Amino acid sequence: MSEKNTIIGHKIKGFRESKNISIEEMAERSGLTVEQINAIESEQTLPSLGPLIKIARALGVRLGTFMDDSDALGPVVCRAADRESDTSISFSNGASDARKHMEYHPLAQQKAGRHMEPFVIDINPDEDPQFQLSSHEGEEFIYVMQGEVEIVYGKETYQLHEGDSIFYDSIVKHHVHGAPGKCAKILAVVYIPF
C-alpha cells in the first residue's frame, strides 16, 4: 500500500482495543469472521466498502471516522489541488485476491458529525472484473466524471457513461466497477444512517 493511503486497519484495531472489544466479539457484532477482521487489522487485506461499514457499525462509529484526521464544525472546503496530494484510501473489489480496485479521495474528512461521505473515486481498469455483491444500510449517489462504469444492482446491470448518474438504496446487493478494461473517475456520495 502506498504511503498516501490511510492505514484503515490500524485505526480499526485502535478503536476496537480502546473500546475493549475482542476480535471474537467484533466478528459477532459485524457478521464478519475472525479471520477477516484479523486480515483487515493487519493490513493483509484491502477491505471493500461493505465490510468496512459493518465494522463501523459494530464499533459504534461513523464510516468517516476511519478516514478522519481532525474534525471541523463549520464548512469544509476541499480544493482540487489539495485532493490530488491528499490522503487516499484503497478498497478491494471484494474478490478473493483483494486487488486494489478503487482509489478513494475523501472530500469532507475533517467535517465533524457528518452523515454523508463524499468521495472522488478513481476506478482502476480490469479486463475481467471478479467481484462479490455487498449491501449495507443507506443510500448512494454516483456521478460519472470520466470513463465508463458498470453497476450491478440486484439482478440488473447498469452501464453508465460520462455525465450519467445513479441514485440507489444500498440495502440491495450491489457492486460498482469500471467497464471491462476501462478506467473511470466518479463522484460518489454515500449516506449511512447512524
Side-chain angles (χ1 to χ4, degrees):
M1 224 181 266
S2 82
E3 290 178 23
K4 290 174 70 173
N5 287 329
T6 300
I7 310 296
I8 292 175
H10 179 73
K11 285 188 174 185
I12 290 170
K13 184 176 183 179
F15 280 110
R16 181 181 59 73
E17 289 176 345
S18 73
K19 294 177 180 263
N20 293 319
I21 298 172
S22 70
I23 288 183
E24 292 76 17
E25 186 178 354
M26 178 74 137
E28 185 177 321
R29 287 183 182 187
S30 66
L32 301 174
T33 66
V34 170
E35 293 78 16
Q36 286 174 300
I37 294 169
N38 272 326
I40 290 168
E41 286 188 354
S42 65
E43 301 289 333
Q44 294 172 350
T45 298
L46 291 169
S48 61
L49 196 54
L52 198 56
I53 291 168
K54 290 177 182 180
I55 289 170
R57 285 242 180 249
L59 290 172
V61 299
R62 294 177 299 101
L63 172 65
T65 303
F66 303 137
M67 300 162 223
D68 293 346
D69 289 328
S70 59
D71 286 341
L73 297 176
V76 172
V77 176
C78 182
R79 305 276 181 209
D82 296 338
R83 186 178 69 241
E84 296 305 318
S85 64
D86 209 356
T87 302
S88 66
I89 300 116
S90 295
F91 293 117
S92 78
N93 61 1
S96 57
D97 61 358
R99 295 183 305 277
K100 184 169 28 171
H101 134 265
M102 292 184 167
E103 198 74 28
Y104 285 62
H105 304 276
L107 299 177
Q109 65 188 43
Q110 288 82 26
K111 177 64 177 150
R114 66 187 180 273
H115 298 283
M116 297 184 299
E117 295 294 339
F119 302 97
V120 169
I121 303 172
D122 294 316
I123 301 175
N124 298 319
D126 194 343
E127 289 299 327
D128 182 27
Q130 296 178 17
F131 51 84
Q132 296 173 358
L133 299 178
S134 65
S135 64
H136 52 86
E137 289 183 56
E139 301 170 334
E140 293 182 32
F141 170 79
I142 294 172
Y143 175 82
V144 180
M145 299 167 67
Q146 297 173 357
E148 295 178 40
V149 176
E150 284 185 354
I151 299 175
V152 178
Y153 184 77
K155 295 181 180 182
E156 301 291 326
T157 299
Y158 298 91
Q159 305 285 337
L160 291 132
H161 301 275
E162 189 171 319
D164 294 344
S165 65
I166 187 171
F167 188 108
Y168 55 85
D169 293 316
S170 40
I171 196 71
V172 175
K173 289 193 175 237
H174 61 280
H175 193 272
V176 178
H177 52 271
K182 308 262 179 157
C183 59
K185 183 182 290 273
I186 61 175
L187 169 66
V189 180
V190 179
Y191 166 72
I192 304 163
F194 189 71

